Amino acid sequence: MVRLAVSMGLRPRVDPLGAAMAAPNEVTFRLTRCRRSVPRTRALAHAVLSGWGVSQDALESVELALSELVTNALRVRVPSDRQVGVRIARCLEGGLLRLEVSDAGSGRPEVRAPGDEETGGRGLLLVEALAHRWGVEERTGGIGKTVWAELKAPDIVAEPDGREVAAVMVRPGQLVRVWGEWRTVRTVRTESHAAGGLAVVLGLDEGPALRVHAAEPLTVRDDGVPSARERGEGTPG
């Protein structure tokens, strides 16, 4: 079982893996100590990074490094009910992806050079080769440790900020935040609201229309929408 949590307070959507997803700057989840946890981690990481627009090369490097860190954590000798914590975060200014894997075990993992006939022991060698930098920290409370790695991903960009406006002010062409995602407004019409007053019905590029009270605050962006000056509004006659 994987328990997933997302930051920034966005309303999550359900992804094909059955986990709650959003587009935050970090995602955390916990893993049970079983073999299925490694492929599950790769699948979750793939879904998150794809949503962040990470390039294929960076995505593959992150999946490989994260798999090695999780595999090492699952091999630590601790009671079977102790879970492994995983955190994936993006630093938009530095173009970095940070991976953190926490376990309840003692000691610090070290890079070693296995012999030619050894089939294992190369996990941290791979992490060291893939990462911009990596390290080990004690967990808060002194129980266990967190092994982290930072990988370069210069193609990640910040999600544009939006602003809140009353629904009656929304116009076609704007992007509106609906159910944790941005949707393009195709049509706008008004009608009587069941509770009295005016209702606004927004036709969206995907999914059902959104029907809200005219005064309902909505988060919008103006991508691709001409300004008042460009539309010729408010210019001297």
Side-chain angles (χ1 to χ4, degrees), residues 106-193:
S106 59
R108 297 173 66 89
E110 296 181 355
V111 177
R112 67 185 188 89
D116 294 338
E117 297 182 358
E118 293 185 68
T119 58
R122 294 175 174 81
L124 286 181
L125 278 174
L126 282 173
V127 173
E128 187 174 57
L130 294 169
H132 172 58
R133 57 184 180 179
W134 73 279
V136 185
E137 299 174 352
E138 291 186 0
R139 295 178 65 187
T140 303
I143 301 176
K145 62 185 178 297
T146 296
V147 183
W148 58 269
E150 292 180 347
L151 286 77
K152 292 184 177 181
D155 50 325
I156 59 176
V157 295
E159 187 174 1
D161 294 329
R163 71 181 194 282
E164 281 197 352
V165 299
V168 72
M169 300 297 293
V170 177
R171 62 184 186 272
Q174 285 184 313
L175 296 179
V176 62
R177 190 77 175 177
V178 181
W179 306 300
E181 297 183 338
W182 292 106
R183 293 282 184 257
T184 301
V185 178
R186 298 301 188 194
T187 60
V188 180
R189 63 183 176 86
T190 58
E191 60 184 35
S192 297
H193 195 279

Side-chain angles (χ1 to χ4, degrees), residues 90-109:
R90 59 177 174 176
C91 177
L92 301 172
E93 293 183 359
L96 292 174
L97 293 168
R98 183 178 175 93
L99 313 176
E100 297 179 2
V101 177
S102 303
D103 63 70
S106 59
R108 297 173 66 89

Side-chain angles (χ1 to χ4, degrees), residues 13-97:
R13 67 180 185 273
V14 177
D15 81 331
L17 301 170
M21 298 295 296
N25 285 326
E26 68 174 57
V27 175
T28 62
F29 52 94
R30 304 190 68 80
L31 304 167
T32 54
R33 309 186 70 81
C34 66
R35 292 182 179 180
R36 294 190 301 274
S37 288
V38 175
R40 183 72 171 178
T41 298
R42 292 177 69 101
L44 285 170
H46 187 97
V48 171
L49 298 176
S50 296
W52 288 348
V54 174
S55 68
Q56 184 64 30
D57 288 344
L59 190 152
E60 291 176 357
S61 295
V62 168
E63 287 185 12
L64 181 55
L66 187 58
S67 294
E68 295 298 335
L69 294 178
V70 169
T71 297
N72 287 347
L74 292 173
R75 289 174 176 168
V76 173
R77 294 184 178 180
V78 295
S80 59
D81 61 342
R82 297 294 179 89
Q83 295 181 322
V84 171
V86 178
R87 176 176 178 264
I88 306 172
R90 59 177 174 176
C91 177
L92 301 172
E93 293 183 359
L96 292 174
L97 293 168

